[in-house]
Amino acid sequence: MDNMSEQSIETSEAPEPITGAPKPAGALHQNRVFLDLFWDLAKPEQEVRLRAVDGLVQYLRDNSKGEELEYTLKRLVDGLSHSRETARPAFSLALGQVLSAFGDISLLQTLDRIKDKHNLLTVKKKLQRNAMFGNVFGVLALHQSGRLTQEPQAVLACVQLLQSLTPHRQHLRDLPTNTMMDILNQVEEEVFEQVLFTALQSDLATPFRTPEQLHLLLVALQRFPHTLKPKKLKKLLGFSTIINQDNVPRLTELLKTVANSVKKEQVLPPVMLDLLKLSLKEDTYQLFWTKVISEGLLKEPPGPSHYLSFRLLGAALPLLSEAQLKEVLRGDVMRQYGQHLVTSKKPGRFQLAPEMDTYVSSFLQGCEDVDRQTAVVLGFSALCNQGCPMVPPSWRAVQHLHPPALDAYVAWLRSMFLQPQLHTMLDVSTKKPKDEKEDRQGSVHRLRKWIGARLVALVDNQQLKKEESTVMEVSRFLLFHAFFRPTAVCAEVPESAEELSVPLQDDTRAALANSFFSLLLSLHHLPQEQGSEEDGAPHRRQLGVRADGSMWISHLFDFAQKLLQQQVEPGPAFGPLQREAWDSLLVSVSSLRKKMKKAQSPENKAFLQLFLLVAMYLFKAPEELLDIICDLQSCVERAQKKKRRSKPGEDQEPAWVEVLVELLLSLLSQPSRHMRQVCKMVFSSVCPHVTQPAISAILKVLEPEPEEADNGLLITDDEPGLSREGEEEEEEEEDDEGSDSDDAEEGDGDADDDGDADDDEDENEEVQEEVDAEFRLRLMKVLEQQNALAKEEDSSGEEDLDDDAMMKLDKNLAAVFSEQKKKTQAKKDEKSKVKKEKVLIRDFKIKVLDLVEVFVSRQSSSPLVLSLVQPLLTLIERCMGSDRELHEQDLLRRAAHILRNELFRAKVYCRSVEDRAPELHELMETLLNKALKLHDSSVALYYFSACLYLVKVLRGTAPSKGPDEYTADSVRFMGHVDVLRVSSLFRAALASFFSRRRSPLTSQMFSDLFTRFPVLCVDLLDTAVQNITAGVREHQQGQACVLVLRALQSREVQLLLSGEPLIQLCTRVTSELVLSVQQCGSQQRALKDKLQQVLELCQCVLGHAHRLKLPLSLELLQASLQDLSSTTSFNKTGRLEDTYWAVMKRFGVMKPKIEKTKPNPADDPKTAPKKKKGFLPETKKRKKRNVLETTDTTANIQPKKAKKEDKKRDKKQMNKEAKNKAQKRPAESAPSQDSPTKKTKLPQKKKKDKGKVLSQTHG
C-alpha cells in the first residue's frame, strides 16, 4: 500500500520536465508561493485546502501567464488521481474553479487531457483504482465549472466516460451514476432529447437491472416529462408506467437490494422517495404501497427491509393527502412499526424511534394544513400496546402544532378518556387475554392514565403555542374527573354533562390526582402571555398568572367552589370536616383578595398562594392538613393585625411567626415540589419578622436530639404512586419533558430497589453466618417428635418411618421453614423501612435548608444570622466523609454552599453587635478550639473561615474620613474586637500549626488572616518569626518563612510597623535566617523547598533594607549565603539557583559566567565523528590494496579510524569463522580450533579478499 501511494504521488505530483522551454521551468521554480498552493491542496485539513483553492484562482487572475496556466491545468489533472482521498475533491474543486474563471479554456480539450492522463488501458494495474477516481472527479470538475451545459458535445463525452466507468462498481459503487444524475439535473430538455437520449438509451431501457439505473430513469422522468412521454416510454420499455402489476415482483426484489445496500448507512435512499413521487404522479400509489411495501418488503424478516419501509413512511408524510395519511397510519407499516417499538426496548436492540420523531417533527414544523397535522398526531397517538399509546406522554414533536390542531388533539384526548374506543386504536399487542373483561378494564385504565399525563405535558411544554382557554379547559377537566363525581347535569358546569362509558377506577382517579398536582406545578411556572405587555415595552414576564394578572390556581379554586355548590359529589376523602375547613379557607381567601385589590404586597400574595394550595390539597390528603389549617389562619390574621398596629419603636417579635414557621415545616413534609416552592415564597415574605425562637425551631430540625431523631419529624409517604412533582422535588430544576407519574414512580422504585438489594445481600450474609437459635430448637423439636433424628444405636440403613409419618414430618418441617422465612422477611422489611425513613429525614433536612438559605440571603444584616453559623458547621462535620450516601452528600453541598457563598462571602453582613460582642468572642474561641481537634483539613477550613467571619462582623466598617485618608489609625481600627483575646487565640492556633506534625490547619488559612486583618498579623509575627527555625519539621519552617514574607509584603503591615518596630522585626528575621541557612546543607527535597522559601524571604528583607535604608547587620547572612554555594548543589533546580543569585546580587556578588566551549570529538573516545550529509561514510567506501599495507606514520596520523576499522574486520572475521566451523564440523566430533586448511576451503570468489583481511588482522 505504501509503494502504491508513493508511485501515485510520483505520477500525480511530480511535474514532468519541459525539454524545450527551460525559461518557464526556471520561472516556476523561483515562485515558491505558487508551487506551495498545490501542496496545500493535498493537506488533510479542509480549511487549508479551501484556502488553497481560493488562493490559486486569485493568483492566476492576478498573474495571467500562459505557462503558469498550462502548468496549473497539468498539476490539477494529475492530482485528480491522488492516493489521498481528501485530496481528490480538492483538486477537482480547484480545476472546476479554474475552468469557471477562465472561459477560454475548452472543456473538450480538458476532458481529453483527463482521459489521456487517467486511461485505464495504459495505466499500471496497481494504479487503476486511482485512475478510475481521477476520471470521475475530472467529470465532476467540469460539472462544477458551470459551463458544461453550454457545450453539448462535452456533456455527451462526460456521460460516455461515466458509462464506461459504471461496471467498476467494486471501487466506485454508485458514484458514476450519481454524477450522471447531477448532470441531468442541469441539462436542458432540448439537449437531453437531441444529444443524451441516444447515449443513455441502453441504460434507460433496463431500469430493473440495478438500483442506479432505476434511479437514473426516475430522474429523467422528473426532469424531462415531455421527452419521455408514455408513448415513448412504452416504445422504450414495453410499458407506459413504471409501477404496474407486472413490474411489482422485479421492483420488490430491487428494493430489497436497496435496503441491504444502505444497512450500514441507516438512511433513506433517494430512489425510494422518487418512486413514491412517481406513484403519486402516475396515480399508482395504492398499488405501490400495498403490493410493493406492505406485501413485499414487510414480508421479509425484521431487518433492513422493515427499516426502509419505516423511513419511507416518515419521509412520505409531507407528500400524502389527509385521506392517504389516515390510511397509511392505520396500515401494516404502522403496525409493524409498533411491534418494532415493543421489541426495541430490550437492551442492545436498534431503535428507529428517534428517526421517526425527527420525521414527524419536521413535517409538523413545515405543514400549514391543520387537518393534516391533526391526522398525523392522532395516527401516532392511536398506536398502542394493551391500551397504552406507544408515543411517550412528553412527545416533543407536538410543539409545532398550530392552535386549531392543538384544540382538535385535546378534544380527541378528552373524548377517548370519556368514551374509550379501543377498536379505533391500532393495538400491536400479541398476547391473548385470559379474561376479555379484565383485559378491557386494564387497557382503559392504562389509556386514561396516559391521557392524563399527556394533557399535563401539553400544558408543561412552553414551546407549544396554546390559548389560555385551552389551558383552562385541560385544568378544569383534570380537576373535575380526579376529585368529583357528577350526580346530575348542571348547566353552569359543562363537565357534568360528559358521560363516562366506563366508570373510573380508584387507581385511575389516584393517577389523575397526581397528574392534576403536576399540572398545578406547570401552571405555577407558566409564563404570562406576550399580549399582556403594554405598549410593547419589553419586561420580564410573570410566572403563574394569566394575561389579566390573576393566578391560575385562583381560577381553579373558584371552579372547585362552584362544583361544591352545585349538584356534584366530591370524592370520598372530602367529608364534612373537610368541607368545614374548605369554607373557612374560602373566608380567608376572600379577605386576602380584598386586601390585594387595595394594595399589592408580596406578603399577601404569598399567603394567598399558600391558602389556595392547601385548599387544593384537601382533596388529596385532607387528614394531614385539618390541624394545620386553623393554626395557619390564626397566624395570618395575627400577622395582619400586628402589621396594622405596629408603631415605630414597638417590639417586632410577634409569636405568630414562630407558629408559622412550625406550620411551614409541617407543610414541607408533603412530597410536593409545588408546596416546597410556595413555602419558600411565604417564608421569604415574612423574613423581616422572624425571631430567634423561629430560627431555633428550624435549627432543631437540622440537628434533632438523639431521642427525637426518629419520632420528631412527620414525613408523609403514604401513597405508592406519587406525582411527578412529588417524586422529583429533591432534584435540581431540570427539564422533566412532561414525564408522567408512572415513569417517575418506576424510576424511584428502581432506585429504591437497587438500594434495598445491597441491604438484602448483607442481611443474607448475616443469616448465613448466624443461625437463629430459636429456629434450631423448633427444628430439633419437630424431628424428635417424629423420631427422625439419627441415634448411635441406629446402625441399619432401612427406613424407620412409613409414608404417613414422612408426610406428616414434611408438613411440620414446611410449617417451621415457612414461619422462619416470614421472620427473616420481616427483619428485612424493618431494615428497609428504617433506611427509607432515614432517607426521608435527610430529604426533609434539604428542604429545611431552603428556608435557611432564603433567610440568609434576605436578612444577611440581621444578628440572627450569626446563630446559624455553628449549627451549619456541625452539620457539615457530621455529613463529611467518603463513605456517606448520596443524600448526605447533597445535604453537605447545600450546607457548604450556604456558609461559603451566602454567609462568608456576602458583602452585606451584620454591623450592630454591640450587645453580642462577648457572646461572639466565646463562639469564636469555641470554633477555633474545635478546628484544632479535627482530623479533616477541609472541615477545619470551614471552622477557620467562620472565625474570620466573626472577626469581620466584630470589626465592622471603619468610619470613612475621605477618599485619600489611608493612615495607620484607619488600618488599626478593629471596632468591637478584643484584640488581645483574639490575638491570643490565633497565636495558640498558629503555635499548634508549627508544633504538630499533622495539623488540620494550613498556611493558607493564616495567610488569609494576615491579609484581611493586618492588626492581628502584627501581633502574630513574633510567633511566625520564632518558628523559622523552631518549627517541628522543615515544612513548617518553610511555611513560617512564607507567612513572614506575606506580612512584610503587606502595605498595611508596613504602615503599622513603620520606624523602629520594622527595624527590630527585620533584625530578628535576619538572625533567624542566618540559622536557617546554615541548616540547609542537605540535598533532601524538603530542605530544598525550605531553602527556596528562605531565599525568597531574604530577598524581601534585603529589598526593605535597601529601599528604606534600614540599619541592619547583614555580614553574617552574607557569609552564610556564600558558604551555601559550596555545600548545596543547584543541579536541575533553575528557580532555586536564580533566586540564590538574585539574593547574592544584593550583596554585590554576581553570578560567575561559565564559558561554553565546544567539545573536541578527538578528545572523547566515545564520541563518534559527525557524518557529512550527502557523502558516503568512510566504512562504505571501497578501499585500495595499498591502503591495507600502511606504515607507522599513516597509522599515527589516523589511529582512531584504523582501530575502529580493525575492530569491525575482527568481528566480521570471527563471525565467518564460526559459521564455517558449524558447517564443516562432523556431528560426532568435538569443536576444534581454526586451522589453515579450513581457511583454504572458502569459496573461490572471496578467497583473495579473505586472505587480505586475515593478513591485515593477524599479521
Side-chain angles (χ1 to χ4, degrees):
M1 191 66 185
D2 296 338
N3 297 334
M4 180 178 179
S5 62
E6 291 175 3
Q7 292 178 2
S8 63
I9 291 176
E10 291 175 0
T11 56
S12 60
E13 289 294 331
E16 297 179 0
I18 304 175
T19 57
K23 280 187 178 181
L28 289 175
H29 281 296
Q30 292 176 2
N31 192 348
R32 295 304 308 172
V33 177
F34 174 64
L35 295 177
D36 288 342
L37 293 173
F38 298 100
W39 290 98
D40 291 342
L41 289 175
K43 293 291 181 63
E45 295 82 8
Q46 183 178 3
E47 296 180 357
V48 177
R49 298 198 302 268
L50 295 177
R51 195 161 50 245
V53 172
D54 297 337
L56 180 61
V57 175
Q58 188 64 32
Y59 178 85
L60 292 176
R61 286 176 177 174
D62 298 340
N63 306 293
S64 181
K65 295 181 181 180
E67 63 274 10
E68 292 183 345
L69 185 59
E70 181 67 20
Y71 180 79
T72 300
L73 292 175
K74 180 183 181 305
R75 288 292 300 268
L76 294 180
V77 170
D78 293 347
L80 294 175
S81 62
H82 203 287
S83 60
R84 189 177 297 167
E85 294 183 0
T86 57
R88 299 171 196 152
F91 280 97
S92 176
L93 178 61
L95 181 58
Q97 294 298 319
V98 171
L99 294 176
S100 177
F102 299 93
D104 54 344
I105 301 177
S106 174
L107 296 183
L108 276 176
Q109 294 180 2
T110 305
L111 185 61
D112 292 340
R113 177 179 296 193
I114 294 172
K115 291 192 291 186
D116 293 341
K117 179 62 181 176
H118 308 296
N119 191 352
L120 300 180
L121 300 177
T122 59
V123 75
K124 293 182 180 180
K125 185 176 181 181
K126 61 176 63 177
L127 300 178
Q128 283 187 353
R129 182 175 183 273
N130 293 340
M132 296 174 193
F133 281 106
N135 287 313
V136 174
F137 281 103
V139 176
L140 284 175
L142 300 182
H143 172 63
Q144 291 172 354
S145 66
R147 297 169 45 201
L148 190 60
T149 57
Q150 302 173 5
E151 300 184 19
Q153 296 302 322
V155 174
L156 178 61
C158 289
V159 170
Q160 291 175 348
L161 178 59
L162 293 173
Q163 284 179 330
S164 66
L165 295 173
T166 303
H168 302 284
R169 181 175 175 81
Q170 180 181 0
H171 301 292
L172 303 178
R173 301 189 66 178
D174 55 351
L175 191 58
T177 308
N178 291 338
T179 307
M180 278 193 287
M181 286 184 284
D182 292 338
I183 294 175
L184 290 181
N185 285 326
Q186 291 188 353
V187 171
E188 298 294 335
E189 189 166 2
E190 182 180 358
V191 176
F192 172 77
E193 184 176 3
Q194 298 177 0
V195 179
L196 295 181
F197 181 73
T198 304
L200 294 175
Q201 188 171 0
S202 59
D203 292 333
L204 297 177
T206 56
F208 298 108
R209 181 181 299 174
T210 61
E212 290 78 14
Q213 291 182 350
L214 176 61
H215 195 196
L216 183 65
L217 176 61
L218 296 178
V219 172
L221 287 173
Q222 291 179 3
R223 287 283 299 146
F224 317 113
H226 299 289
T227 301
L228 297 176
K229 293 181 180 180
K231 292 182 179 180
K232 199 168 188 178
L233 198 62
K234 186 173 183 179
K235 181 179 179 182
L236 179 66
L237 302 174
F239 41 81
S240 57
T241 58
I242 303 299
I243 304 174
N244 53 50
Q245 190 66 36
D246 298 335
N247 292 336
V248 165
R250 292 187 292 176
L251 197 58
T252 304
E253 294 299 326
L254 197 64
L255 293 184
K256 292 178 182 178
T257 306
V258 173
N260 292 323
S261 65
V262 296
K263 180 179 179 180
K264 294 183 179 179
E265 289 80 2
Q266 298 180 0
V267 295
L268 179 68
V271 65
M272 293 295 298
L273 202 58
D274 291 341
L275 270 176
L276 179 63
K277 294 178 181 178
L278 181 64
S279 66
L280 294 172
K281 181 180 178 181
E282 293 180 348
D283 199 15
T284 56
Y285 161 76
Q286 194 70 28
L287 176 65
F288 170 73
W289 195 265
T290 304
K291 297 297 182 180
V292 178
I293 304 299
S294 300
E295 298 180 3
L297 296 180
L298 291 182
K299 295 301 180 181
E300 293 291 311
S305 299
H306 285 219
Y307 301 149
L308 184 67
S309 304
F310 302 154
R311 292 189 179 100
L312 182 62
L313 171 64
L317 295 178
L319 304 175
L320 304 180
S321 62
E322 181 183 358
Q324 291 171 342
L325 285 173
K326 291 181 179 179
E327 181 181 0
V328 167
L329 294 177
R330 293 193 58 83
D332 295 335
V333 179
M334 197 66 177
R335 186 181 299 277
Q336 291 292 336
Y337 174 68
Q339 293 179 0
H340 163 73
L341 292 180
V342 174
T343 57
S344 64
K345 292 181 179 180
K346 299 179 181 179
R349 297 291 184 90
F350 171 70
Q351 296 183 355
L352 198 125
E355 295 183 38
M356 187 62 71
D357 290 344
T358 304
Y359 282 123
V360 176
S361 180
S362 60
F363 164 74
L364 295 177
Q365 188 175 6
C367 180
E368 299 295 333
D369 189 355
V370 175
D371 296 334
R372 294 173 64 204
Q373 276 191 340
T374 307
V376 169
V377 174
L378 296 185
F380 279 91
S381 299
L383 183 65
C384 65
N385 180 24
Q386 296 181 358
C388 182
M390 303 294 293
V391 294
S394 58
W395 194 28
R396 290 292 181 181
V398 297
Q399 65 186 7
H400 303 293
L401 284 178
H402 296 297
L406 177 62
D407 294 340
Y409 186 42
V410 171
W412 180 81
L413 292 174
R414 293 182 59 184
S415 64
M416 291 298 293
F417 182 91
L418 297 172
Q419 298 179 354
Q421 301 176 2
L422 297 179
H423 63 280
T424 61
M425 306 284 287
L426 188 61
D427 200 330
V428 298
S429 59
T430 56
K431 296 181 180 180
K432 295 182 179 180
K434 297 180 180 180
D435 190 352
E436 294 185 0
K437 184 177 181 180
E438 293 183 359
D439 181 69
R440 174 175 173 78
Q441 291 180 355
S443 299
V444 170
H445 167 68
R446 286 187 287 270
L447 175 61
R448 286 174 169 172
K449 190 176 179 180
W450 180 89
I451 290 176
R454 171 78 274 198
L455 291 174
V456 174
L458 291 176
V459 176
D460 187 59
N461 192 346
Q462 298 185 7
Q463 304 296 328
L464 177 61
K465 296 180 181 179
K466 43 189 173 290
E467 302 291 339
E468 286 190 350
S469 58
T470 304
V471 177
M472 184 54 64
E473 178 185 354
V474 171
S475 305
R476 289 164 57 109
F477 179 80
L478 290 178
L479 174 61
F480 181 81
H481 292 285
F483 304 115
F484 292 93
R485 299 174 180 176
T487 56
V489 178
C490 180
E492 298 181 1
V493 182
E495 289 78 5
S496 61
E498 299 171 345
E499 297 182 0
L500 293 169
S501 60
V502 179
L504 288 176
Q505 301 177 2
D506 294 338
D507 295 342
T508 307
R509 289 188 181 275
L512 286 179
N514 294 331
S515 299
F516 173 73
F517 285 103
S518 298
L519 177 69
L520 286 183
L521 179 62
S522 301
L523 293 177
H524 182 69
H525 295 287
L526 191 65
Q528 195 176 15
E529 283 192 359
Q530 294 283 357
S532 62
E533 298 181 1
E534 298 178 359
D535 301 332
H539 62 274
R540 185 177 180 181
R541 293 187 293 173
Q542 298 181 9
L543 301 180
V545 297
R546 302 184 65 176
D548 56 358
S550 59
M551 293 184 293
W552 286 100
I553 191 173
S554 180
H555 288 272
L556 294 177
F557 177 81
D558 295 339
F559 178 65
Q561 174 62 21
K562 183 186 295 184
L563 292 177
L564 292 174
Q565 293 176 353
Q566 303 297 330
Q567 295 181 355
V568 180
E569 180 184 355
F574 198 84
L577 296 177
Q578 287 75 28
R579 182 57 185 267
E580 183 179 354
W582 176 275
D583 294 337
S584 63
L585 284 174
L586 180 62
V587 176
S588 301
V589 168
S590 303
S591 175
L592 287 174
R593 284 176 174 176
K594 292 179 182 179
K595 294 174 183 177
M596 289 185 64
K597 289 181 180 180
K598 296 179 181 179
Q600 292 280 348
S601 67
E603 187 175 338
N604 289 334
K605 183 179 179 180
F607 282 135
L608 179 60
Q609 280 199 356
L610 182 60
F611 278 136
L612 294 175
L613 186 58
V614 170
M616 289 300 175
Y617 266 91
L618 282 176
F619 295 104
K620 181 181 180 182
E623 297 179 357
E624 302 171 3
L625 299 176
L626 290 178
D627 298 335
I628 299 177
I629 291 176
C630 297
D631 297 335
L632 188 61
Q633 289 175 325
S634 62
C635 285
V636 173
E637 292 177 0
R638 292 169 60 189
Q640 298 295 328
K641 293 178 181 179
K642 275 288 181 182
K643 188 175 180 180
R644 288 195 297 268
R645 296 177 183 177
S646 61
K647 298 179 181 179
E650 189 177 356
D651 189 10
Q652 293 292 331
E653 294 183 357
W656 61 269
V657 177
E658 304 167 16
V659 181
L660 181 62
V661 169
E662 294 285 351
L663 296 176
L664 292 179
L665 293 176
S666 301
L667 292 174
L668 282 176
S669 63
Q670 296 291 328
S672 169
R673 189 194 300 176
H674 193 186
M675 183 69 75
R676 178 180 178 179
Q677 295 177 356
V678 172
C679 289
K680 285 176 60 176
M681 186 185 303
V682 173
F683 186 76
S684 176
S685 64
V686 300
C687 273
H689 309 287
V690 173
T691 60
Q692 183 60 48
I695 294 295
S696 301
I698 296 176
L699 297 178
K700 186 178 180 181
V701 173
L702 292 177
E703 292 297 332
E705 296 297 330
E707 61 272 7
E708 297 178 357
D710 297 331
N711 302 323
L713 297 176
L714 177 61
I715 308 297
T716 58
D717 187 20
D718 53 349
E719 295 188 8
L722 297 178
S723 63
R724 178 197 65 182
E725 48 102 18
E727 302 256 351
E728 301 174 348
E729 59 183 350
E730 310 308 330
E731 301 176 357
E732 298 293 333
E733 291 294 337
E734 60 182 357
D735 188 10
D736 300 320
E737 296 187 0
S739 60
D740 60 343
S741 57
D742 288 338
D743 297 337
E745 179 183 354
E746 293 173 1
D748 286 352
D750 295 340
D752 294 339
D753 293 343
D754 295 340
D756 295 340
D758 299 336
D759 297 337
D760 294 345
E761 294 176 1
D762 299 340
E763 185 67 24
N764 290 333
E765 294 177 359
E766 295 177 0
V767 171
Q768 292 176 3
E769 293 176 358
E770 299 179 4
V771 181
D772 191 0
E774 184 180 356
F775 170 65
R776 182 190 294 272
L777 292 176
R778 286 190 282 110
L779 188 60
M780 294 291 292
K781 185 178 181 181
V782 171
L783 294 175
E784 288 176 356
Q785 290 177 357
Q786 299 295 327
N787 295 325
L789 286 176
K791 298 181 181 179
E792 296 180 357
E793 57 272 12
D794 295 340
S795 59
S796 63
E798 301 290 336
E799 293 186 359
D800 298 332
L801 299 178
D802 55 3
D803 293 342
D804 296 337
M806 288 295 294
M807 292 294 294
K808 186 177 180 181
L809 178 61
D810 291 344
K811 186 177 180 181
N812 294 336
L813 288 176
V816 172
F817 280 102
S818 176
E819 184 179 358
Q820 180 64 20
K821 184 178 180 181
K822 291 180 180 179
K823 289 185 178 181
T824 305
Q825 187 63 35
K827 291 180 180 180
K828 293 180 181 180
D829 295 342
E830 183 67 22
K831 187 176 180 180
S832 175
K833 182 180 179 181
V834 171
K835 182 179 178 181
K836 189 174 183 180
E837 289 177 355
K838 290 182 179 180
V839 172
L840 290 174
I841 290 174
R842 286 195 296 269
D843 293 344
F844 180 66
K845 289 182 180 180
I846 293 176
K847 298 178 188 179
V848 175
L849 282 180
D850 291 344
L851 305 184
V852 176
E853 184 176 3
V854 168
F855 182 76
V856 171
S857 60
R858 294 294 299 272
Q859 299 292 320
S860 56
S861 60
S862 173
L864 298 177
V865 174
L866 302 175
S867 61
L868 300 173
V869 175
Q870 189 172 8
L872 290 177
L873 289 173
T874 306
L875 182 63
I876 289 177
E877 182 184 358
R878 293 189 178 184
C879 293
M880 183 66 71
S882 59
D883 57 343
R884 298 295 182 179
E885 298 180 359
L886 179 61
H887 286 76
E888 290 191 358
Q889 293 178 7
D890 294 340
L891 185 63
L892 172 64
R893 280 193 290 266
R894 291 298 305 277
H897 167 75
I898 295 172
L899 275 178
R900 182 177 61 252
N901 299 326
E902 301 293 341
L903 202 60
F904 295 159
R905 298 179 182 177
K907 296 182 179 180
V908 180
Y909 56 91
C910 179
R911 289 180 171 84
S912 57
V913 291
E914 297 85 357
D915 301 335
R916 306 188 63 176
E919 179 184 352
L920 295 181
H921 282 87
E922 292 290 339
L923 178 61
M924 187 190 309
E925 183 177 0
T926 303
L927 296 180
L928 197 55
N929 292 333
K930 180 67 175 177
L932 293 175
K933 298 178 182 179
L934 295 173
H935 299 285
D936 194 345
S937 60
S938 58
V939 181
L941 175 61
Y942 285 98
Y943 275 88
F944 198 88
S945 301
C947 295
L948 298 184
Y949 171 74
L950 294 178
V951 175
K952 181 179 72 171
V953 171
L954 287 169
R955 183 185 62 178
T957 306
S960 59
K961 298 181 180 180
D964 299 333
E965 290 291 336
Y966 188 75
T967 61
D969 295 336
S970 61
V971 175
R972 197 173 284 111
F973 174 80
M974 290 299 289
H976 300 282
V977 178
D978 188 351
V979 179
L980 295 177
R981 182 178 180 182
V982 174
S983 298
S984 63
L985 292 176
F986 283 107
R987 186 179 297 108
L990 186 59
S992 174
F993 168 68
F994 287 130
S995 61
R996 294 174 60 180
R997 298 180 65 87
R998 292 186 179 181
S999 174
L1001 306 181
T1002 61
S1003 60
Q1004 185 61 38
M1005 300 178 187
F1006 292 101
S1007 180
D1008 294 340
L1009 172 65
F1010 285 12
T1011 303
R1012 296 172 61 181
F1013 306 107
V1015 176
L1016 300 178
C1017 173
V1018 171
D1019 293 343
L1020 299 179
L1021 269 178
D1022 292 339
T1023 305
V1025 172
Q1026 292 173 4
N1027 285 278
I1028 292 178
T1029 56
V1032 66
R1033 288 191 304 176
E1034 290 80 4
H1035 173 72
Q1036 278 80 358
Q1037 296 172 10
Q1039 296 304 315
C1041 295
V1042 171
L1043 293 178
V1044 176
L1045 177 62
R1046 296 290 181 271
L1048 291 178
Q1049 291 175 344
S1050 174
R1051 179 184 175 188
E1052 292 83 359
V1053 173
Q1054 296 176 19
L1055 195 61
L1056 292 174
L1057 293 176
S1058 59
E1060 186 64 25
L1062 184 60
I1063 297 175
Q1064 296 177 1
L1065 175 64
C1066 293
T1067 303
R1068 293 195 302 270
V1069 172
T1070 303
S1071 61
E1072 294 290 335
L1073 288 176
V1074 171
L1075 298 176
S1076 182
V1077 170
Q1078 294 175 356
Q1079 297 174 358
C1080 295
S1082 177
Q1083 299 294 328
Q1084 297 180 2
R1085 175 64 182 275
L1087 288 176
K1088 283 193 174 288
D1089 294 341
K1090 173 193 171 182
L1091 179 58
Q1092 175 68 34
Q1093 295 156 354
V1094 167
L1095 291 176
E1096 290 177 358
L1097 181 57
C1098 289
Q1099 190 176 7
C1100 180
V1101 172
L1102 294 176
H1104 281 302
H1106 176 72
R1107 186 174 62 258
L1108 302 177
K1109 298 180 180 181
L1110 302 178
L1112 300 178
S1113 178
L1114 303 175
E1115 290 79 6
L1116 293 177
L1117 181 61
Q1118 181 179 359
S1120 61
L1121 288 173
Q1122 287 178 347
D1123 297 339
L1124 187 64
S1125 61
S1126 61
T1127 58
T1128 303
S1129 175
F1130 296 115
N1131 294 335
K1132 298 182 181 179
T1133 54
R1135 181 186 173 194
L1136 180 59
E1137 184 180 7
D1138 294 342
T1139 308
Y1140 173 76
W1141 289 112
V1143 174
M1144 296 305 296
K1145 188 177 180 181
R1146 297 282 186 180
F1147 294 107
V1149 180
M1150 305 301 294
K1151 182 179 180 180
K1153 293 184 178 180
I1154 302 175
E1155 296 182 0
K1156 295 183 179 180
T1157 58
K1158 191 174 183 179
N1160 189 5
D1163 298 338
D1164 189 5
K1166 297 182 180 179
T1167 307
K1170 187 177 181 181
K1171 296 181 181 179
K1172 297 181 180 180
K1173 294 184 178 180
F1175 297 93
L1176 285 174
E1178 294 296 332
T1179 56
K1180 299 296 183 180
K1181 291 182 180 180
R1182 181 174 296 177
K1183 304 295 181 181
K1184 296 181 181 180
R1185 290 189 179 185
N1186 54 4
V1187 175
L1188 299 176
E1189 300 173 358
T1190 58
T1191 61
D1192 295 339
T1193 57
T1194 57
N1196 293 332
I1197 294 174
Q1198 294 179 344
K1200 183 178 178 181
K1201 187 180 297 184
K1203 289 181 180 179
K1204 189 174 182 180
E1205 292 177 358
D1206 291 343
K1207 288 181 180 180
K1208 288 187 176 180
R1209 292 190 183 95
D1210 289 340
K1211 188 174 181 181
K1212 187 183 297 185
Q1213 180 62 25
M1214 291 174 65
N1215 293 336
K1216 289 287 186 180
E1217 292 173 355
K1219 186 176 180 181
N1220 292 334
K1221 290 177 185 178
Q1223 293 177 354
K1224 299 298 182 179
R1225 183 186 303 120
E1228 65 278 0
S1229 63
S1232 61
Q1233 296 181 353
D1234 296 337
S1235 62
T1237 58
K1238 293 182 180 180
K1239 296 177 185 176
T1240 59
K1241 293 182 180 180
L1242 293 171
Q1244 191 67 24
K1245 263 187 175 180
K1246 300 182 180 179
K1247 188 174 182 180
K1248 295 182 180 180
D1249 295 340
K1250 280 286 182 180
K1252 292 178 183 179
V1253 173
L1254 289 175
S1255 64
Q1256 174 72 12
T1257 56
H1258 298 284

